[in-house]
Amino acid sequence: MAKSEMRLIDFMLLAALCALQYPLWLGAGSWLNVSELHQKLDTRMAVLKKLETRNDQLEAKVVSLQSGDCAVEELARRHLGMISKGEIFVWVIPAKSQNTATSTVPGEVS
């Protein structure tokens, strides 16, 4: 075999090797793509965990509301300001402090 034929075969083998490596590094199933998908999966799993926790809390609140009057009464008192017969409603308004009226920027000399 001549040297030119050997170079042609070497070039063809190198081209075949590059063609086989392309999907591994740059294709749809590449290492980079797989790591990005793992990051997205981790993010979505964290969001899912938060949503499951919230759903569990809401479900517990629904069960509490369905099972007794105490929870309904507590919500009515807290959110609607309702009172029972014989109770006296007292609303305490906190006094404004002088610090909020004359706030200064840190580092500023007055």
Side-chain angles (χ1 to χ4, degrees):
M1 281 195 191
K3 273 191 165 192
S4 63
E5 289 178 11
M6 288 297 283
R7 287 187 183 187
L8 180 63
I9 291 174
D10 290 343
F11 178 74
M12 289 174 63
L13 288 174
L14 181 63
L17 179 66
C18 290
L20 290 173
Q21 289 291 314
Y22 175 80
L24 179 65
W25 298 104
L26 302 171
S30 68
W31 295 104
L32 181 63
N33 190 15
V34 169
S35 67
E36 287 176 4
L37 290 175
H38 278 293
Q39 287 177 345
K40 286 181 182 179
L41 179 64
D42 291 341
T43 303
R44 291 190 180 179
M45 291 298 284
V47 169
L48 179 65
K49 188 73 171 171
K50 288 179 185 177
L51 291 175
E52 285 176 344
T53 303
R54 187 191 71 166
N55 285 349
D56 291 342
Q57 290 172 349
L58 290 174
E59 184 178 356
K61 189 179 271 189
V62 166
V63 169
S64 174
L65 289 172
Q66 289 175 343
S67 65
D69 293 335
C70 293
V72 174
E73 184 178 342
E74 177 188 347
L75 287 174
R77 287 176 183 271
R78 182 181 304 150
H79 296 290
L80 302 176
M82 299 184 89
I83 58 174
S84 296
K85 290 183 179 180
E87 291 182 339
I88 299 173
F89 178 69
V90 178
W91 187 8
V92 178
I93 301 173
K96 291 185 179 179
S97 65
Q98 292 182 359
N99 292 341
T100 58
T102 59
S103 63
T104 60
V105 178
E108 182 180 280
V109 178
S110 45

